[in-house]
mmCIF file of all heavy atoms in Angstrom:
data_model
loop_
_atom_site.group_PDB
_atom_site.id
_atom_site.type_symbol
_atom_site.label_atom_id
_atom_site.label_comp_id
_atom_site.label_asym_id
_atom_site.label_seq_id
_atom_site.Cartn_x
_atom_site.Cartn_y
_atom_site.Cartn_z
ATOM 1 N N ASP A 260 -7.519 3.371 -3.879
ATOM 2 C CA ASP A 260 -8.473 3.243 -2.767
ATOM 3 C C ASP A 260 -7.732 3.101 -1.432
ATOM 4 O O ASP A 260 -8.183 3.606 -0.403
ATOM 5 C CB ASP A 260 -9.407 2.046 -2.982
ATOM 6 C CG ASP A 260 -10.412 2.310 -4.100
ATOM 7 O OD1 ASP A 260 -10.523 3.470 -4.529
ATOM 8 O OD2 ASP A 260 -11.087 1.355 -4.539
ATOM 9 N N LEU A 261 -6.586 2.412 -1.480
ATOM 10 C CA LEU A 261 -5.799 2.296 -0.245
ATOM 11 C C LEU A 261 -5.310 3.676 0.200
ATOM 12 O O LEU A 261 -5.383 4.025 1.382
ATOM 13 C CB LEU A 261 -4.612 1.343 -0.445
ATOM 14 C CG LEU A 261 -3.674 1.218 0.763
ATOM 15 C CD1 LEU A 261 -4.393 0.603 1.974
ATOM 16 C CD2 LEU A 261 -2.424 0.399 0.429
ATOM 17 N N MET A 262 -4.834 4.479 -0.747
ATOM 18 C CA MET A 262 -4.309 5.808 -0.392
ATOM 19 C C MET A 262 -5.395 6.688 0.217
ATOM 20 O O MET A 262 -5.184 7.368 1.208
ATOM 21 C CB MET A 262 -3.709 6.495 -1.625
ATOM 22 C CG MET A 262 -2.479 5.813 -2.135
ATOM 23 S SD MET A 262 -1.213 5.603 -0.848
ATOM 24 C CE MET A 262 -0.736 3.906 -1.099
ATOM 25 N N ARG A 263 -6.570 6.648 -0.408
ATOM 26 C CA ARG A 263 -7.685 7.440 0.136
ATOM 27 C C ARG A 263 -8.008 6.965 1.559
ATOM 28 O O ARG A 263 -8.239 7.771 2.459
ATOM 29 C CB ARG A 263 -8.919 7.279 -0.768
ATOM 30 C CG ARG A 263 -10.114 8.101 -0.321
ATOM 31 C CD ARG A 263 -11.330 7.842 -1.191
ATOM 32 N NE ARG A 263 -11.850 6.496 -1.031
ATOM 33 C CZ ARG A 263 -11.782 5.547 -1.954
ATOM 34 N NH1 ARG A 263 -11.243 5.770 -3.138
ATOM 35 N NH2 ARG A 263 -12.268 4.338 -1.717
ATOM 36 N N SER A 264 -7.979 5.659 1.747
ATOM 37 C CA SER A 264 -8.334 5.098 3.049
ATOM 38 C C SER A 264 -7.269 5.401 4.096
ATOM 39 O O SER A 264 -7.587 5.651 5.254
ATOM 40 C CB SER A 264 -8.534 3.587 2.935
ATOM 41 O OG SER A 264 -9.439 3.291 1.883
ATOM 42 N N LEU A 265 -5.996 5.377 3.679
ATOM 43 C CA LEU A 265 -4.919 5.680 4.632
ATOM 44 C C LEU A 265 -5.084 7.092 5.181
ATOM 45 O O LEU A 265 -4.818 7.352 6.345
ATOM 46 C CB LEU A 265 -3.549 5.544 3.953
ATOM 47 C CG LEU A 265 -3.102 4.126 3.620
ATOM 48 C CD1 LEU A 265 -1.848 4.148 2.753
ATOM 49 C CD2 LEU A 265 -2.857 3.310 4.887
ATOM 50 N N GLY A 266 -5.548 7.990 4.340
ATOM 51 C CA GLY A 266 -5.789 9.372 4.775
ATOM 52 C C GLY A 266 -7.171 9.552 5.364
ATOM 53 O O GLY A 266 -7.624 10.676 5.526
ATOM 54 N N ARG A 267 -7.847 8.451 5.643
ATOM 55 C CA ARG A 267 -9.193 8.489 6.231
ATOM 56 C C ARG A 267 -10.141 9.345 5.381
ATOM 57 O O ARG A 267 -10.885 10.180 5.895
ATOM 58 C CB ARG A 267 -9.163 8.989 7.678
ATOM 59 C CG ARG A 267 -8.277 8.143 8.583
ATOM 60 C CD ARG A 267 -8.776 6.718 8.663
ATOM 61 N NE ARG A 267 -7.905 5.859 9.478
ATOM 62 C CZ ARG A 267 -8.099 4.547 9.601
ATOM 63 N NH1 ARG A 267 -9.077 3.933 8.972
ATOM 64 N NH2 ARG A 267 -7.307 3.814 10.337
ATOM 65 N N GLY A 268 -10.012 9.167 4.057
ATOM 66 C CA GLY A 268 -10.939 9.819 3.147
ATOM 67 C C GLY A 268 -10.452 11.159 2.626
ATOM 68 O O GLY A 268 -11.044 11.712 1.703
ATOM 69 N N ARG A 269 -9.370 11.679 3.213
ATOM 70 C CA ARG A 269 -8.878 12.985 2.752
ATOM 71 C C ARG A 269 -8.281 12.850 1.353
ATOM 72 O O ARG A 269 -7.718 11.807 1.007
ATOM 73 C CB ARG A 269 -7.789 13.523 3.691
ATOM 74 C CG ARG A 269 -8.251 13.789 5.092
ATOM 75 C CD ARG A 269 -7.224 14.555 5.912
ATOM 76 N NE ARG A 269 -5.844 14.226 5.664
ATOM 77 C CZ ARG A 269 -5.108 13.363 6.389
ATOM 78 N NH1 ARG A 269 -5.641 12.713 7.389
ATOM 79 N NH2 ARG A 269 -3.838 13.160 6.105
ATOM 80 N N PRO A 270 -8.355 13.923 0.554
ATOM 81 C CA PRO A 270 -7.705 13.872 -0.755
ATOM 82 C C PRO A 270 -6.208 13.598 -0.616
ATOM 83 O O PRO A 270 -5.590 14.005 0.364
ATOM 84 C CB PRO A 270 -7.942 15.280 -1.316
ATOM 85 C CG PRO A 270 -9.157 15.772 -0.626
ATOM 86 C CD PRO A 270 -9.093 15.195 0.761
ATOM 87 N N TRP A 271 -5.666 12.893 -1.590
ATOM 88 C CA TRP A 271 -4.264 12.496 -1.578
ATOM 89 C C TRP A 271 -3.633 12.915 -2.900
ATOM 90 O O TRP A 271 -4.304 13.501 -3.757
ATOM 91 C CB TRP A 271 -4.158 10.978 -1.360
ATOM 92 C CG TRP A 271 -4.976 10.168 -2.317
ATOM 93 C CD1 TRP A 271 -6.333 9.948 -2.269
ATOM 94 C CD2 TRP A 271 -4.517 9.511 -3.504
ATOM 95 N NE1 TRP A 271 -6.739 9.186 -3.346
ATOM 96 C CE2 TRP A 271 -5.638 8.901 -4.121
ATOM 97 C CE3 TRP A 271 -3.269 9.364 -4.104
ATOM 98 C CZ2 TRP A 271 -5.545 8.169 -5.307
ATOM 99 C CZ3 TRP A 271 -3.172 8.621 -5.278
ATOM 100 C CH2 TRP A 271 -4.313 8.040 -5.861
ATOM 101 N N ILE A 272 -2.345 12.629 -3.040
ATOM 102 C CA ILE A 272 -1.651 13.036 -4.278
ATOM 103 C C ILE A 272 -1.044 11.810 -4.961
ATOM 104 O O ILE A 272 -0.386 10.995 -4.302
ATOM 105 C CB ILE A 272 -0.530 14.054 -3.971
ATOM 106 C CG1 ILE A 272 -1.138 15.355 -3.430
ATOM 107 C CG2 ILE A 272 0.307 14.338 -5.212
ATOM 108 C CD1 ILE A 272 -0.093 16.417 -3.063
ATOM 109 N N LEU A 273 -1.301 11.692 -6.249
ATOM 110 C CA LEU A 273 -0.558 10.708 -7.046
ATOM 111 C C LEU A 273 0.792 11.358 -7.324
ATOM 112 O O LEU A 273 0.904 12.223 -8.183
ATOM 113 C CB LEU A 273 -1.312 10.395 -8.346
ATOM 114 C CG LEU A 273 -0.605 9.472 -9.349
ATOM 115 C CD1 LEU A 273 -0.217 8.152 -8.715
ATOM 116 C CD2 LEU A 273 -1.475 9.233 -10.566
ATOM 117 N N MET A 274 1.792 10.990 -6.558
ATOM 118 C CA MET A 274 3.055 11.725 -6.535
ATOM 119 C C MET A 274 3.960 11.355 -7.706
ATOM 120 O O MET A 274 4.695 12.177 -8.218
ATOM 121 C CB MET A 274 3.757 11.438 -5.200
ATOM 122 C CG MET A 274 4.953 12.291 -4.918
ATOM 123 S SD MET A 274 4.529 14.033 -4.771
ATOM 124 C CE MET A 274 3.993 14.180 -3.077
ATOM 125 N N GLU A 275 3.928 10.081 -8.074
ATOM 126 C CA GLU A 275 4.764 9.652 -9.188
ATOM 127 C C GLU A 275 4.031 8.625 -10.035
ATOM 128 O O GLU A 275 3.367 7.729 -9.502
ATOM 129 C CB GLU A 275 6.042 8.959 -8.674
ATOM 130 C CG GLU A 275 7.062 9.850 -8.056
ATOM 131 C CD GLU A 275 8.339 9.063 -7.727
ATOM 132 O OE1 GLU A 275 8.599 8.011 -8.353
ATOM 133 O OE2 GLU A 275 9.066 9.508 -6.832
ATOM 134 N N GLN A 276 4.202 8.777 -11.332
ATOM 135 C CA GLN A 276 3.814 7.772 -12.319
ATOM 136 C C GLN A 276 4.681 8.118 -13.519
ATOM 137 O O GLN A 276 5.302 9.168 -13.556
ATOM 138 C CB GLN A 276 2.320 7.889 -12.647
ATOM 139 C CG GLN A 276 1.953 9.268 -13.177
ATOM 140 C CD GLN A 276 0.517 9.378 -13.648
ATOM 141 O OE1 GLN A 276 -0.091 8.406 -14.053
ATOM 142 N NE2 GLN A 276 -0.023 10.579 -13.615
ATOM 143 N N THR A 277 4.716 7.229 -14.500
ATOM 144 C CA THR A 277 5.537 7.566 -15.660
ATOM 145 C C THR A 277 4.643 8.071 -16.794
ATOM 146 O O THR A 277 3.481 7.670 -16.896
ATOM 147 C CB THR A 277 6.371 6.357 -16.132
ATOM 148 O OG1 THR A 277 7.137 6.745 -17.274
ATOM 149 C CG2 THR A 277 5.520 5.153 -16.488
ATOM 150 N N THR A 278 5.196 8.942 -17.614
ATOM 151 C CA THR A 278 4.423 9.385 -18.781
ATOM 152 C C THR A 278 4.264 8.228 -19.772
ATOM 153 O O THR A 278 3.295 8.181 -20.504
ATOM 154 C CB THR A 278 5.124 10.557 -19.494
ATOM 155 O OG1 THR A 278 6.469 10.162 -19.784
ATOM 156 C CG2 THR A 278 5.117 11.814 -18.642
ATOM 157 N N SER A 279 5.220 7.310 -19.771
ATOM 158 C CA SER A 279 5.096 6.176 -20.693
ATOM 159 C C SER A 279 5.782 4.898 -20.186
ATOM 160 O O SER A 279 5.133 3.963 -19.769
ATOM 161 C CB SER A 279 5.651 6.544 -22.069
ATOM 162 O OG SER A 279 5.527 5.440 -22.934
ATOM 163 N N ARG A 280 7.120 4.874 -20.201
ATOM 164 C CA ARG A 280 7.851 3.659 -19.825
ATOM 165 C C ARG A 280 8.609 3.865 -18.524
ATOM 166 O O ARG A 280 9.041 4.978 -18.228
ATOM 167 C CB ARG A 280 8.894 3.304 -20.898
ATOM 168 C CG ARG A 280 8.385 2.542 -22.081
ATOM 169 C CD ARG A 280 9.504 2.333 -23.096
ATOM 170 N NE ARG A 280 9.872 3.578 -23.761
ATOM 171 C CZ ARG A 280 10.957 4.286 -23.499
ATOM 172 N NH1 ARG A 280 11.834 3.879 -22.596
ATOM 173 N NH2 ARG A 280 11.221 5.412 -24.137
ATOM 174 N N VAL A 281 8.844 2.769 -17.782
ATOM 175 C CA VAL A 281 9.833 2.810 -16.710
ATOM 176 C C VAL A 281 11.130 2.216 -17.276
ATOM 177 O O VAL A 281 11.221 1.947 -18.478
ATOM 178 C CB VAL A 281 9.360 2.043 -15.452
ATOM 179 C CG1 VAL A 281 8.150 2.707 -14.850
ATOM 180 C CG2 VAL A 281 9.096 0.575 -15.755
#
Side-chain angles (χ1 to χ4, degrees):
D260 288 348
L261 176 64
M262 293 306 134
R263 182 184 67 250
S264 308
L265 289 171
R267 302 298 177 185
R269 297 191 323 264
W271 53 282
I272 295 179
L273 175 56
M274 190 63 84
E275 288 186 24
Q276 58 174 333
T277 179
T278 53
S279 180
R280 277 177 289 104
V281 295

